[in-house]
């Protein structure tokens, strides 16, 4: 099997997705129920659900955050600060936890998404053809790619969620990014609200987790950490989601090293990136985690000396 055939097996067919969604949405209904119906669910929530979820793949995040079903997480930050790179590493960790994932990366061709994941897995930028083929074959039961670079419609994306869950068994989705929905303009706040609300509803109805990448405005001072209010678009993006995670690259450290103000060894103890947990609706923890970036493997490390 060549690389092209391996990649084809990871690709989702758009026409089949849309046909399935039309039939699926026609059967949707809403029911009003009394409290006793939920008794067992509430007991289960306190006994296990509140502590459940998948790991982000880092030891330092274990007690603070889990990837729980029925939740929508907005991953935000200034353009170029490593949001997609961070998500790629999370997806690789989820695959190791036998979790099926689907990536809709509208800002990057599927082949580049996979190339990055190969490099993160191998810890090298020079894989052999044999390694690439083996990676794609191992991933074909756990990873699917939405093959639409540039833009798509919100309807197609919602359809992909239903198809991915019911036909492929996907548990975690990545939509990168919000502003690549061709029918949702940057200043159309009503359509943004509708789409975010539909994503949140899909999370609950399908019992899946969705990571939605949403850029922040470019800050006047690039050394200032953006918060949820800086997310481009409607305030409903931050209000309707369950979690907000902000990836912030330490540009000050990079500047000082590049201009010779400090050596890399002198600044070794300073993180290359800080990830901020700025909102967590269903768990009472917010905070931040420091990471160091390894350029060779395109991977985030939990300490400067970590392998």
């Amino acid at each position: 099997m060549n690389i092209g055939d391996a990649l084809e097996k990871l690709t989702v067919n758009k026409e089949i997705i849309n046909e399935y969604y039309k039939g699926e949405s026609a059967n949707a209904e809403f029911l009003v129920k009394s409290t006793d119906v939920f008794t067992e669910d509430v007991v289960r929530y306190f006994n296990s659900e509140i502590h459940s979820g998948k790991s982000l793949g880092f030891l330092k995040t274990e007690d603070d955050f889990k990837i729980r079903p029925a939740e929508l997480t907005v991953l935000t930050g200034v353009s170029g600060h490593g949001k997609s790179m961070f998500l790629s590493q999370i997806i690789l960790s989820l695959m190791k936890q036998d979790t099926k994932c689907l990536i809709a990366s509208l800002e990057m061709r599927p082949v580049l998404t996979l190339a990055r994941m190969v490099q993160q897995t191998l810890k090298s930028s020079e894989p052999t053809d044999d390694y690439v083929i083996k990676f794609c074959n191992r991933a074909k039961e756990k990873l699917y790619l939405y093959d639409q670079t540039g833009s798509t419609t919100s309807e197609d994306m919602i359809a992909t969620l239903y198809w991915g869950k019911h036909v492929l068994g996907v548990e975690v989705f990545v939509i990168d990014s919000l502003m690549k929905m061709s029918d949702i303009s940057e200043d159309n706040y009503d359509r943004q609200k509708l789409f975010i609300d539909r994503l949140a509803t899909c999370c609950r109805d399908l019992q899946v987790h969705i990571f939605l990448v949403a850029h922040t405005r470019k800050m006047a001072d690039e050394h200032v950490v953006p918060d949820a209010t800086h997310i481009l678009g409607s305030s409903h993006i931050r209000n309707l989601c369950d979690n907000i995670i902000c990836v912030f690259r330490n540009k000050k450290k990079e500047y000082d090293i590049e201009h010779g103000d400090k050596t890399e060894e002198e600044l070794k103890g300073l993180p290359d990136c800080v990830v901020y947990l700025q909102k967590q609706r269903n768990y009472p923890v917010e905070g931040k985690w420091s990471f160091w970036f390894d350029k060779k493997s395109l991977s985030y490390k939990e300490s400067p000396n970590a392998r």
Side-chain angles (χ1 to χ4, degrees), residues 72-88 90-91 102-108 116 157 173-181 184 192 195-196 199 209-216 231-233 237-238 241 243-247:
L72 170 63
T73 295
V74 168
L75 191 81
T76 190
V78 178
S79 180
H81 273 236
K83 298 181 293 297
S84 299
M85 194 88 70
F86 189 71
L87 261 180
S88 176
I90 290 172
I91 294 301
L102 192 153
I103 300 175
S105 181
L106 305 171
E107 299 186 349
M108 183 180 292
R116 172 186 287 174
M157 193 52 57
F173 294 83
V174 171
I175 302 174
D176 188 359
S177 66
L178 172 63
M179 290 307 168
K180 286 297 183 177
M181 302 298 120
I184 304 177
Q192 290 174 24
F195 182 58
I196 298 298
L199 288 181
H209 194 106
I210 298 174
F211 284 100
L212 173 67
V213 176
H215 300 300
T216 62
I231 296 175
L232 276 173
I237 298 172
R238 63 178 184 268
C241 71
N243 315 299
I244 297 176
I245 295 176
C246 177
V247 178

Side-chain angles (χ1 to χ4, degrees), residues 114-163:
L114 282 174
R116 172 186 287 174
M117 299 179 87
V118 167
Q119 190 167 342
Q120 288 178 321
T121 303
L122 181 62
K123 311 301 182 189
S124 170
S125 59
E126 299 179 357
T128 64
D129 289 354
D130 184 59
Y131 186 89
V132 173
I133 292 170
K134 287 181 178 179
F135 176 87
C136 289
N137 285 334
R138 288 197 304 268
K140 67 182 179 182
E141 301 299 331
K142 298 177 183 177
L143 177 64
Y144 300 91
L145 304 174
Y146 184 71
D147 190 9
Q148 177 73 24
T149 307
S151 64
T152 188
T153 66
S154 57
E155 287 294 324
D156 283 348
M157 193 52 57
I158 297 296
T160 301
L161 301 178
Y162 280 95
W163 168 262

Side-chain angles (χ1 to χ4, degrees), residues 214-227:
H215 300 300
T216 62
R217 298 190 298 273
K218 185 174 178 62
M219 307 295 288
D221 183 347
E222 66 179 6
H223 304 315
V224 175
V225 181
D227 59 33

